Amino acid sequence: MEFLKSHNVPQAIGPYSQAVKVNGMIYTSGQIALTPSGEMTELDIKKQTRQVLTNLRNLLEDSGSSLQNVVKANIYLANMEDFGIVNVIYAEFFGDHKPARSTVAVKTLPKNALVEIDVIATSLATTSW
């Protein structure tokens, strides 16, 4: 088991790792819309979703993977009415790659974020989908 850390994403705000690699798979902790310097993005679902996905992309790339290696994504929304907006931005980041995914509404998220996403990805540089 390898605990992964990137300086291109916000530092963990609790007693957990940004990501863990085990048996060729990378499991990320949930990312909210914090900038790498730890500042919260404004309360706008589009801006927050872009920041979260940018954080995940940076974390995966710094760990030897990419969004194209994601096999499963979990999305947590403070408001399910944002589902459509999040889908559009999610598609911009993932393109034709369509990993398995769950989306759930939650009562609240850390720092009152509007969206949180975590992923599971292969640690291989390329995949043969």
Side-chain angles (χ1 to χ4, degrees):
M1 184 179 306
E2 180 182 355
F3 299 101
L4 306 174
K5 186 173 182 173
S6 170
H7 297 290
N8 294 313
V9 298
Q11 299 307 301
I13 57 174
Y16 57 88
S17 298
Q18 292 172 329
V20 176
K21 183 163 96 173
V22 62
N23 295 329
M25 300 298 291
I26 296 171
Y27 301 83
T28 71
S29 291
Q31 291 292 309
I32 59 173
L34 294 173
T35 65
S37 64
E39 296 178 36
M40 189 67 168
T41 304
E42 65 184 272
L43 285 176
D44 175 279
I45 190 62
K46 292 177 184 177
K47 291 179 181 178
Q48 286 203 5
T49 303
R50 283 191 178 90
Q51 183 65 56
V52 167
L53 290 167
T54 297
N55 290 345
L56 287 167
R57 181 182 60 210
N58 291 345
L59 180 55
L60 290 171
E61 289 176 357
D62 289 351
S63 300
S65 189
S66 73
L67 289 175
Q68 296 305 301
N69 290 352
V70 170
V71 296
K72 176 75 164 85
N74 296 303
I75 301 175
Y76 309 94
L77 296 174
N79 184 345
M80 194 54 85
E81 290 181 17
D82 292 332
F83 183 83
I85 294 168
V86 171
N87 263 345
V88 168
I89 297 165
Y90 181 95
E92 290 172 11
F93 277 78
F94 282 92
D96 291 333
H97 180 61
K98 295 185 177 17
R101 190 180 93 179
S102 299
T103 304
V104 297
V106 296
K107 185 174 178 181
T108 56
L109 290 166
K111 298 192 175 273
N112 292 315
L114 301 176
V115 59
E116 179 173 356
I117 303 174
D118 64 79
V119 299
I120 301 169
T122 64
S123 61
L124 306 173
T126 59
T127 58
S128 57
W129 301 112

